[in-house]
Amino acid sequence: MLHSLRLHALLASLLLMGAAANGQSLLQADQSITPADTSVTTAPAHPLSAASLPALLVKPDSVYINPEVLPHFVGGDKAFMAYLSKSIRYPQRALQQRVSGKVFVNFILDATGKVQDAHVVSGPGSGLNDEALRLVWLMPPWEPGRVNGQPVRVSCTVPISFTIER
């Protein structure tokens, strides 16, 4: 199960990198409705939206990567950026070495909007990865994703940029 989640996290982060390059919102890059767990829950072979899936297919232990309603930081992307700028502490080691860059953090938002299983997918190191992870763990709860009107667990990947002002 953990291997499956990490594979989905890697795929989601690759999709996110492409979306970020195209200027899309933080969470619009995850483009699959398949649960990330290994249970027998599967969507029918013909194309259906998440809204038309029977309620029986919504399992509380499944992790979705493209639910019917995406989770979002309360207040939107602008509030997320404000949270980051207020809470960030640029690591001294990275400042001394003049290291900057983008850290991609993957995590699961549970059905109540709280962060679980956060880990760094990629980043420049020098303390920046640890700081990005700290910021994600301390985030306030998000509005959870939903399938058939029910809150569900969702895999999310967010980029956190570190830049040294000159």
Side-chain angles (χ1 to χ4, degrees):
M1 166 107 172
L2 183 59
H3 176 62
S4 174
L5 285 175
R6 290 202 176 162
L7 176 61
H8 282 283
L10 178 60
L11 292 174
S13 69
L14 291 174
L15 287 171
L16 179 64
M17 286 182 216
N22 292 327
Q24 292 178 347
S25 179
L26 294 176
L27 295 176
Q28 291 179 349
D30 297 343
Q31 295 298 316
S32 174
I33 192 168
T34 308
D37 69 357
T38 57
S39 67
V40 189
T41 304
T42 58
H46 52 84
L48 290 175
S49 68
S52 63
L53 292 176
L56 296 174
L57 291 179
V58 178
K59 293 178 127 181
D61 58 341
S62 294
V63 176
Y64 291 83
I65 53 177
N66 189 26
E68 177 183 303
V69 177
L70 291 172
H72 62 275
F73 192 84
V74 176
D77 289 350
K78 194 173 193 176
F80 181 67
M81 297 307 284
Y83 161 75
L84 291 177
S85 65
K86 179 183 83 166
S87 305
I88 199 164
R89 289 185 270 172
Y90 214 102
Q92 193 62 34
R93 181 173 47 157
L95 281 173
Q96 290 170 344
Q97 297 173 353
R98 312 244 350 121
V99 176
S100 61
K102 197 174 283 191
V103 180
F104 291 88
V105 180
N106 178 266
F107 54 94
I108 305 297
L109 278 176
D110 69 13
T112 65
K114 294 181 182 170
V115 172
Q116 297 178 333
D117 304 326
H119 62 278
V120 172
V121 176
S122 67
S126 296
L128 298 180
N129 295 1
D130 293 335
E131 177 60 8
L133 203 52
R134 184 189 73 82
L135 290 168
V136 167
W137 278 115
L138 294 177
M139 285 189 302
W142 292 39
E143 274 297 316
R146 294 184 177 275
V147 171
N148 289 332
Q150 298 177 27
V152 293
R153 299 172 69 212
V154 179
S155 176
C156 302
T157 299
V158 295
I160 300 176
S161 295
F162 292 86
T163 55
I164 299 174
E165 301 202 10
R166 296 176 183 187

